[in-house]
Amino acid sequence: MLDILLGKLKEGFGLVSDPRYKNKQNSLSSYLMCGFSIFHLKDPSLHHFRVNYPERSANLNRIYGIEKLYSDSAIRDAIDIINPTELQKIFSIPLQHLEQQGVMSDYKVLKDYHVVAFDGTEHYCNTTARDKPCEHCLVKEYRNKKGEVTKTTYHHQALAGVMVHPLHKEVFPINAEAIVKQDGATKNDCEQNAAKRLIPIIRTMLSKEKYQLIGVFDALYATGPMIQLLVSEKMSFTIVSKETFVNVQVERLRKENKLEQSEIVNAKGEKTTFRWANKLILNGANQDILVNYFEIEQVDKTGKPIYFNAWITDIDINDQNVAELVQIARSRWKIENETFNTLKNQGYHLEHSFGHGNKFLATNFMLLTFLAFLTDQVTQKLDKSFNKAWTYCKTKKNLYEKTRQIFDLIPCQSMDFLYRIIAKEIKISFIFDS
């Protein structure tokens, strides 16, 4: 399965618009496939990729279609000038594969919805003079008590939209948008501005005609303009509700004992209470926007609090769907734990600087990292050979290490062949001449 997907990705890279006006003897898709393979193989740096090229060149050619070794600077220079919107289009390739294999149907909640969790993360930070800031860097100045600038940092952030399901472990990045200083801007970009760009992109990839979406957000998004955007894009939502006018109305209803309520007690004596109210005013500035409120309170058998949280949504709440709505809202943690934590700490090196560049390099490397992760998640969901190899290795870390070892030492006709070697389905014999 993975080899078919890699072939489709290579075809997709071949359709990327080439902005180069010289040095076109090497195809842009070759440079992109080099960048993608670095993150897909979990190489810690471009230097590691280049140093190990002689041992793995044949496999790189057979599996990724990489025909020759390029210098670090050549790879960076080629990828630096590509408009990130070109790479964002490539995400549709793994997603179409998921749809064709019926996975999208398995990820439905509330019968017809798909959940997309949104959150931002930093992926590049320069606190030294090692890398020259680019025109898109976000700038942060640290000042002392006298107001003097003592330190300046330059960084890049990204907002991601990731398809999640409360009961499935795999998560699928739909796309990511750079939170960087926009062309001609004098002020830093922000997460909400990035959301205004990302949500329509996601709606293009998961069309309004085919997909009903629920966006899962933190409290930052509980604003009139953001909810109006979601309504215009036909995206339902659950948003964390903290210290808002909605909460003021809820407290009044609570005192009047007018909140709807249902309870569940488990075998340990722990009690879960759901409370909700429909058709509340969002805030004074947006009295025409009505939202629905729901909360969960969990206590142990002694009454000691275990967990509490509250959200607003546009979906009408009743005792039949409130528990599932809570599951959906709480699944937002998957973008932090299952996505960002994995990308930063489990082999993808998201926060490592593979190169900053002058225009779009840091952003494009971020997108290639997310694309490699999406490819891995699709593989984990659908590829039997991958899962047999993972079972044999017990941990992902061990699997990635063995993948690189075999990739560097043994001629492999495909990734399927490589995974079957790891799983001991194919045994390799060595004959040594004295």
Side-chain angles (χ1 to χ4, degrees), residues 183-196:
D183 291 335
T186 57
K187 295 183 179 180
N188 284 343
D189 197 9
C190 70
E191 187 174 318
Q192 288 209 37
N193 284 340
K196 293 174 184 177

Side-chain angles (χ1 to χ4, degrees), residues 245-250 252-253 259 276-283 286-294 312:
F245 183 61
V246 172
N247 295 71
V248 174
Q249 298 168 77
V250 167
R252 185 182 69 246
L253 293 172
L259 286 178
W276 66 93
N278 291 308
K279 296 188 170 27
L280 303 177
I281 297 172
L282 177 64
N283 54 45
N286 298 275
Q287 297 188 34
D288 58 324
I289 299 178
L290 300 180
V291 296
N292 308 317
Y293 170 94
F294 63 105
I312 56 173

Side-chain angles (χ1 to χ4, degrees), residues 263-266 269-273 297-301 306:
E263 293 181 352
I264 300 173
V265 180
N266 65 17
E270 297 170 340
K271 183 171 71 173
T272 300
T273 304
E297 180 185 34
Q298 293 178 310
V299 297
D300 65 16
K301 61 182 180 181
I306 299 174

